[in-house]
Amino acid sequence: MSATHTRVPFTPDADGDCPVREVLDRVGDKWSVLIVVLLGRGTHRFTELHRAVDGISQRMLTLTLRALVRDGLVSRTVYASVPPRVDYALTELGRTLLVPLVALDEWASAHRDDIRAARRRHDEAAGTPA
């Protein structure tokens, strides 16, 4: 099978329910992906994640972590200490997400220059400044 002709099964349910869309709603945003990758390296506290994810607000980090916990991808452990300590870690389900994310990262790294060159060619042909 050639790279231009790959069989990609796509069969949404009759009621329009699409599992891919549901998952992409969660992991399709840049914050979720970055947080999952960071947690793939080990358990982190909120402040560690906030420092590590450049550009994310505290509110967006809170909302993203809540959604990842709700979806079962991240666990949240609260320790009764003063001040309270909260650790975030990937669940077993969350760890399975690392496989496609690592593959995507490897693909993006391997093809970054190709994509940039294609954008330049497109913009030049369209007369659009880069």
Side-chain angles (χ1 to χ4, degrees), residues 5-52:
H5 188 286
T6 54
R7 290 178 48 101
V8 179
F10 179 72
T11 54
D13 294 343
D15 62 359
D17 185 29
C18 178
V20 172
R21 182 175 299 146
E22 190 174 326
V23 170
L24 285 177
D25 284 345
R26 175 60 43 237
V27 298
D29 68 87
K30 64 181 177 179
W31 303 126
S32 292
V33 169
L34 292 172
I35 291 166
V36 167
V37 169
L38 281 169
L39 292 176
R41 298 176 186 157
T43 300
H44 289 281
R45 296 172 78 172
F46 184 92
T47 53
E48 294 170 335
L49 290 169
H50 190 247
R51 282 193 300 266

Side-chain angles (χ1 to χ4, degrees), residues 55-115:
I56 193 169
S57 67
Q58 286 187 358
R59 175 171 162 64
M60 185 53 66
L61 179 56
T62 298
L63 293 173
T64 303
L65 285 168
R66 282 182 188 162
L68 291 168
V69 168
R70 181 174 183 254
D71 288 348
L73 300 172
V74 170
S75 65
R76 180 179 187 269
T77 306
V78 180
Y79 297 94
S81 62
V82 177
R85 178 178 158 193
V86 180
D87 286 345
Y88 294 91
L90 286 184
T91 62
E92 287 303 312
L93 179 62
R95 291 207 166 281
T96 66
L97 183 56
L98 289 173
V99 174
L101 289 182
V102 167
L104 180 60
D105 176 62
E106 290 170 353
W107 182 90
S109 295
H111 296 287
R112 171 186 277 172
D113 292 337
D114 299 328
I115 292 169

